[in-house]
Amino acid sequence: MTTPDHQSPASRPVVPAARDRIYRSPMGMVGGVLVLALVVWLGCDALFRGHGRVPWLALAVMILVVPLVTAFTLRPAVFANQERLRVRNPFRVIVLPWGELATLRSGYSNEALATSGTKFQLWAIPVSLRARKRAANKRAKAAAQAARGAQGGNRFGMFGGDASVPDVSAGPARAESDKIMDDLRDLHERHGEAEHAQGEITTRWSYEILIPTLAGAVLLAVLLITG
């Protein structure tokens, strides 16, 4: 008679964690790369070709500016999975379990509001009023064309309708940032009450950005004062 093979906890396969959905601002990243390239080019030119105090000033400015540009352009990101929302802003990283999130708001900026009332801005998902206006215009144009097609009646036969009328049944046009917020709201609705989505909100300062920025500011101030 054979007995079932009971595996010890150590030998059981590890269940992989839910994969993150990652949201960033493409335009912010492109702009950050261009600004960093310009800063490094000008800074290195002054560093290696400058005379007197110019190389030291160039070094101080680079130490100050490079982390700041990185913080506001390349660093911001939002990571979401079934358990939590992790917000990486320029100077802080906030982990919000879905159970501690009250709502996600979209206005002139996109924000996550905790159940405690604390508000966190989502730097990685900037609001584009121009994109919203374009999406609204596209919806209005599609609705107007659909209305004209309906008024045209059966001029093309018993099936009716104009072949040139766009199909608006697939859903209204939306700005990209609003689509992302819809995805995050859907995750919150589906997992907000789940046991695996409970916990405490944690916040961590980004010392890897703050320390070099402070060092560059101090060095620049010393050079300017003693100059």
Side-chain angles (χ1 to χ4, degrees):
M1 179 176 179
T2 60
T3 58
D5 183 17
H6 295 284
Q7 293 181 327
S8 65
S11 62
R12 291 173 185 169
V14 178
V15 178
R19 181 173 298 178
D20 282 339
R21 301 183 187 179
I22 304 175
Y23 304 96
R24 298 176 183 268
S25 171
M27 293 304 298
M29 296 183 68
V30 171
V33 170
L34 294 177
V35 173
L36 284 176
L38 180 63
V39 169
V40 172
W41 176 49
L42 294 176
C44 290
D45 183 71
L47 189 64
F48 294 108
R49 296 186 180 184
H51 302 284
R53 296 165 52 86
V54 172
W56 286 102
L57 288 171
L59 179 62
V61 170
M62 290 176 65
I63 295 175
L64 172 63
V65 172
V66 169
L68 286 178
V69 174
T70 302
F72 285 98
T73 59
L74 302 182
R75 179 176 174 79
V78 171
F79 305 85
N81 60 27
Q82 298 177 1
E83 299 176 356
R84 50 92 182 115
L85 180 72
R86 183 161 67 95
V87 181
R88 194 170 70 189
N89 281 341
F91 302 116
R92 290 195 300 173
V93 178
I94 305 102
V95 177
L96 286 149
W98 292 119
E100 293 296 321
L101 183 65
T103 187
L104 290 155
R105 301 190 303 195
S106 296
Y108 290 104
S109 64
N110 290 314
E111 301 167 344
L113 184 66
T115 54
S116 61
T118 307
K119 180 176 64 177
F120 303 101
Q121 187 172 350
L122 308 181
W123 281 82
I125 312 175
V127 170
S128 173
L129 298 180
R130 181 178 298 180
R132 282 183 178 174
K133 185 177 180 179
R134 285 199 302 265
N137 291 339
K138 187 180 295 185
R139 290 196 299 270
K141 184 177 179 180
Q145 290 180 354
R148 287 198 299 268
Q151 291 174 0
N154 295 326
R155 56 179 177 169
F156 288 106
M158 62 178 296
F159 296 102
D162 189 340
S164 64
V165 175
D167 180 13
V168 295
S169 61
R174 299 270 286 166
E176 188 62 30
S177 62
D178 293 333
K179 292 179 182 178
I180 293 174
M181 294 299 287
D182 289 342
D183 290 342
L184 297 178
R185 291 189 186 99
D186 179 65
L187 282 172
H188 179 221
E189 291 176 1
R190 287 192 286 118
H191 302 289
E193 301 297 329
E195 183 179 355
H196 61 261
Q198 309 305 313
E200 296 183 358
I201 299 175
T202 60
T203 303
R204 178 181 68 84
W205 288 102
S206 302
Y207 293 105
E208 63 274 19
I209 297 292
L210 294 172
I211 291 176
T213 300
L214 181 60
V218 170
L219 179 58
L220 182 61
V222 170
L223 290 171
L224 293 176
I225 292 173
T226 59

